[in-house]
Amino acid sequence: MVGPVRPQFVLFGSSIVQLSFCNGGWGAILADVYARKADILLRGYYGWNSRRALEVLDHVFPKDDSNPPSLIITYFGGNDSMGPHPSGLGPHVPLPEFIDNMRKIATHLKSLSDSTRLIFLTCPPVDEERVNKNRSQYLSHLVRTNELCQTYSEACIKLCQELDVKVVDLFTAFQRRDNWKTDCFTDGIHLSAEGSKIVVAEILKVLKEAEWKPSLHWKSMPTEFSDDSPYDLVAADGKTTLNPSEWTFHRAIQWD
């Protein structure tokens, strides 16, 4: 353990989560935004579906943890929504089972503590043309369509409304951007830096608007060790110091 203890924000999901700290990913951006405010913990598993998530749920989020997460951002559905393989193998999960799995995940996460907050992310769209072009000699043909993505996305939204869980509609958010197919993905499925910026903006919007107490929006959270100090940088007047604890000028985007 490393002290002092900060609020923990856990990113839980499949490859869009596992890859969120590379190439300007949304996890890395959140880690910067919440520097000295919260620890961003990564629990991402490439290729996983909601079935596999249920298998490890008690291991990743044990109910007897004395320091439960303050926030869990969960993403599954992209792999579940893939078309079924004739062999019965692969990540596809039928829609009714996907909904039931996500309900079980939400119920478990809610039970961790009264103060643990949840945000679910829906399936983003895919660039179908690029997905079909980028065929691998090592993989069977991937059946990924926006019709399937939309169906699973809408089901996730409906479930979250039923369970009173905050949800980010990535399927819609991505398509608000011009040239989203070329700008938002590295391969038609996984997120580019531009795609990750959309994810961050949508998450921060939810956090800002949520009426949670305490607020988990970064501007409302205390900054660790932020007291003024004579060891801070000396100001231009040569007599005082400047406290850099809240400086954000290094960011290319000034996040709200």
Side-chain angles (χ1 to χ4, degrees):
M1 174 180 168
V2 177
V5 176
R6 298 174 180 171
Q8 294 182 352
F9 291 7
V10 183
L11 315 183
F12 179 49
S14 55
S15 56
I16 282 179
V17 174
Q18 180 175 329
L19 303 178
S20 67
F21 271 76
C22 68
N23 301 322
W26 60 277
I29 296 172
L30 287 176
D32 173 52
V33 171
Y34 280 89
R36 297 172 65 171
K37 296 175 181 287
D39 286 334
I40 310 297
L41 305 181
L42 189 63
R43 294 295 182 270
Y45 304 94
Y46 206 119
W48 279 33
N49 58 18
S50 59
R51 282 179 186 163
R52 295 196 73 179
L54 276 178
E55 291 175 356
V56 303
L57 200 55
D58 287 311
H59 298 283
V60 179
F61 299 103
K63 288 191 175 184
D64 58 353
D65 190 348
S66 60
N67 184 33
S70 296
L71 175 67
I72 304 171
I73 301 175
T74 301
Y75 169 74
F76 290 101
N79 296 313
D80 299 69
S81 67
M82 289 176 60
H85 192 271
S87 68
L89 300 172
H92 170 73
V93 174
L95 184 62
E97 183 187 346
F98 168 72
I99 295 170
D100 189 52
N101 290 347
M102 297 305 288
R103 184 189 305 276
K104 290 175 180 176
I105 291 170
T107 300
H108 179 88
L109 298 181
K110 278 188 164 188
S111 74
L112 298 178
S113 80
D114 292 338
S115 60
T116 297
R117 310 303 186 186
L118 307 182
I119 299 175
F120 277 19
L121 310 180
T122 76
C123 298
V126 296
D127 179 358
E128 293 182 25
E129 183 179 356
R130 207 173 348 164
V131 171
N132 289 324
K133 278 183 179 178
N134 294 342
R135 294 196 181 188
S136 169
Q137 61 178 318
Y138 303 106
L139 295 173
S140 296
H141 176 54
L142 302 179
V143 179
R144 303 195 80 141
T145 69
N146 282 319
E147 182 180 2
L148 288 170
C149 290
Q150 183 174 13
T151 299
Y152 281 66
S153 175
E154 290 174 351
C156 182
I157 293 170
K158 183 177 180 180
L159 176 66
C160 288
Q161 291 170 342
E162 175 190 333
L163 300 178
D164 193 25
V165 170
K166 302 294 185 185
V167 61
V168 171
D169 179 3
L170 292 181
F171 187 82
T172 299
F174 273 53
Q175 294 181 83
R176 292 194 196 106
R177 181 188 174 111
D178 293 336
N179 303 317
W180 62 270
K181 291 182 181 180
T182 55
D183 292 351
C184 293
F185 305 105
T186 58
D187 55 6
I189 298 171
H190 299 103
L191 306 186
S192 66
E194 292 303 310
S196 280
K197 290 173 186 176
I198 294 174
V199 179
V200 172
E202 294 296 318
I203 289 172
L204 292 180
K205 180 181 178 182
V206 170
L207 291 170
K208 185 176 182 179
E209 295 177 354
E211 296 180 356
W212 292 332
K213 296 188 184 304
S215 172
L216 298 180
H217 186 254
W218 70 278
K219 289 184 178 180
S220 300
M221 297 178 70
T223 299
E224 190 175 275
F225 300 138
S226 60
D227 296 340
D228 292 338
S229 169
Y231 306 123
D232 286 335
L233 298 172
V234 180
D237 62 12
K239 301 176 182 179
T240 58
T241 58
L242 297 175
N243 187 334
S245 300
E246 307 289 347
W247 287 357
T248 63
F249 62 83
H250 65 282
R251 294 176 186 158
I253 297 176
Q254 293 298 308
W255 299 102
D256 191 14

